[in-house]
Amino acid sequence: MQSEFCFIRKSIVMRFHSPQNLKTIADFIDAKFIGSEDFEVLGTNEIHRVQPGDIVFVNHPKYYDKALNSAATIILIDKEVECPAGKALLVSEDPFRDFNKINTHFTRIYNFTEELHDVEIGEGTRIHHSAMIGNNVKIGSNTQIFPNVVIGDRTEIGDNVIIQSGTVLGGDAFYYRKLNGNFDRLISVGNVIIENNVEIGNNCTIDRGVTDSTVIGEGSVLDNLIQIGHDTIIGKRCLIASQVGIAGCCILEDEVTVWGQAGIASGVKLEKGTVLLAQVGVNRDLTKGTYFGPIAEDFRAYLKKEVKVRNLK
């Protein structure tokens, strides 16, 4: 049965303020271009979220086909290859570096170094004086922000939201490459969206998207000490218990329940209504069901296996 889950993006974060063209971008990063010089460029995006008009980068032959056949229409690549019909190439000696260069040119990174603000706050919202709020933040009505909460640039928070003490919304994405023996960061210029009627516990960390949004869906409830990685989408009315770790680019459909200390690997999708019991490890997409074990198994199958193992003794 096909899933009914559908995420409709509320804001297209890494879209340029005005359309650019291929030659302008190529000149800016000193890259060769393949395609018409006036080919329209609307923004950038990470491979999991690309759409027409986006630049996506690829710097390893293993991923060439995925990038070239994605919805992105401009591919920033480290080798000249055959260009698919209707698309354009930017050929760069270092696509990772130049993706950063483009993103930080069109989106200014402040990281609380300048208090420019431009914050919208709805009626009836209460924010403790110790909370730290970044720039271009939107907070809805009747929302409560507890002490020592940090809200990063471009974060959007809905109505009737509760965010308890010590939580950080919009920290940097955990996205690196190894370069000359060191770790080189992919700079994240996305944001976090918290929809209406969400409750977030103490000391949670929700990273902003690389070029898009990390989303917590309407009516979802998060316990304390939860980590959610960049560009992950949590659906509506999900329940997530303490010490859960969810990596980047995951999708949890509506009404998913995740119990304590479960861990979910990058890029995993959980179908609507799925339940993960405590300390489950998830390394693949899961259909609706209840799962347990270090490598997620159907709960009943796991119990039967345990009974058989014990009977061998």
Side-chain angles (χ1 to χ4, degrees), residues 36 39 46 53 55 79 99 118 121 123 136 177 194 229 238 258 309:
S36 172
F39 192 96
E46 207 261 340
I55 299 171
K79 180 182 178 181
F99 196 71
D118 188 20
I121 301 174
E123 185 177 353
N136 302 312
R177 65 169 173 176
I194 308 297
C238 291
V258 184
V309 169

Side-chain angles (χ1 to χ4, degrees), residues 52-68:
D54 285 341
I55 299 171
V56 68
F57 84 92
V58 60
N59 56 1
H60 194 289
K62 180 179 178 181
Y63 303 109
Y64 284 175
D65 285 346
K66 184 175 182 179
L68 292 165

Side-chain angles (χ1 to χ4, degrees), residues 2 64 75 89 91 93-94 99 103 122 203 305:
Q2 188 173 5
Y64 284 175
I75 295 85
L89 302 182
V91 183
E93 65 178 18
D94 191 340
F99 196 71
N103 286 338
N203 295 318
K305 183 184 72 174

